[in-house]
Amino acid sequence: MSLALVIASLLVAAPMGGSPSFGSLAGAPQDQYGTAMQWSAMLLLGSAVPLGILAATLYSHLRGQGFRVPGPAIALFGGIVASSILMLSALVTWTLSHEAIASDPRLARASELLAQSSGGVAHTLGLGLLVAGIAVPGLLGRMLPAPLPWAGLVVAAICEVSVLSLVIAPLGFLALLGRFAALVWLVVIGFALSGATRTRTTAPRITTPKEPS
C-alpha cells in the first residue's frame, strides 16, 4: 500500500515538473500547481501510515519468533523514522501548494529543499534501518530463504550510503534507488513471512507415542 501511494504521489506531481522528493516544483500555473501539489502531498502523507504499521507488525512478528537481538528494535526505529520524516515531507509539500509560499522565490526554494531532503535522503536512511533490522535476524535465524536477507543487506547498504548525496550531488540517484528497492523488498518480505507463518501453523505435529504403563 505504501509503495502504491508513493508511486501515485509521484505521478500526480510529474506534470507539474517533479515531486517534492526528487525534482523541481517550479514551472506550472499556480492553480494547476497548487492542486497537483495538494493531491501529491495527501498521497505522500497517506503512504507514511501503512509504512509505520508495517514496521510495528514486523517488529511484533520477530519478537514473537523469539528474537531478542537488537535487530527488531532497529527495524522499528527505522520504520518510525521513515514514516515520520515522510509525513514532514508531505506537509512541507502541502505548504508549497499555497500561493503565499510559492510566490516567494527564497521561501519556496527553502521549502523545496526541505521537502527534497526529508522525503529523499532522510526517509531513505530510515528505510535502510528498517530493512537491515529485518534482514539480519532473517539471515541468522534462517527463517527466510538465504537470497532474501542478503538482498536486504545490499539494499540497506545502498540506503545508508545515499547520505553522501548531501555533499556529492551526482550520488543523488542512490536515494531514489534505495527508496524503491527497499519498498519492493519489504513487499516481498511481507509475503515471505506470512507464507512461513502459515506453513508453521498448518504443519502437522509429530508426537512420540507414550509407552504403556
Side-chain angles (χ1 to χ4, degrees):
M1 180 63 74
S2 181
L3 176 60
L5 289 173
V6 168
I7 293 175
S9 173
L10 297 179
L11 291 176
V12 168
M16 298 299 104
S19 79
S21 300
F22 305 113
S24 173
L25 297 172
Q30 178 57 37
D31 55 345
Q32 299 178 21
Y33 166 88
T35 300
M37 287 302 100
Q38 287 173 5
W39 276 96
S40 178
M42 183 193 69
L43 293 169
L44 200 63
L45 184 63
S47 71
V49 176
L51 180 60
I53 293 174
L54 175 64
T57 301
L58 291 172
Y59 170 78
S60 178
H61 178 84
L62 291 174
R63 296 287 290 181
Q65 297 300 310
F67 287 99
R68 297 296 181 264
V69 294
I74 292 173
L76 180 62
F77 171 74
I80 292 174
V81 169
S83 179
S84 301
I85 207 72
L86 192 60
M87 288 183 178
L88 173 63
S89 179
L91 293 176
V92 175
T93 301
W94 178 82
T95 303
L96 272 166
S97 70
H98 293 78
E99 185 176 2
I101 303 298
S103 60
D104 186 331
R106 293 185 179 181
L107 187 56
R109 182 55 179 167
S111 299
E112 180 184 357
L113 289 174
L114 179 58
Q116 287 179 347
S117 58
S118 57
V121 175
H123 172 63
T124 303
L125 289 176
L127 284 177
L129 293 176
L130 172 58
V131 170
I134 299 167
V136 173
L139 182 64
L140 298 179
R142 298 182 180 179
M143 65 178 184
L144 294 169
L148 288 180
W150 283 114
L153 292 176
V154 173
V155 170
I158 294 173
C159 290
E160 301 310 306
V161 171
S162 70
V163 72
L164 294 175
S165 64
L166 291 177
V167 292
I168 306 176
L171 296 180
F173 73 94
L174 290 176
L176 177 61
L177 175 62
R179 179 179 186 176
F180 282 97
L183 290 174
V184 170
W185 188 85
L186 289 170
V187 170
V188 174
I189 286 300
F191 283 108
L193 289 177
S194 62
T197 301
R198 285 196 299 269
T199 300
R200 286 193 296 270
T201 302
T202 58
R205 293 187 176 182
I206 301 176
T207 57
T208 303
K210 295 182 180 180
E211 295 182 0
S213 55

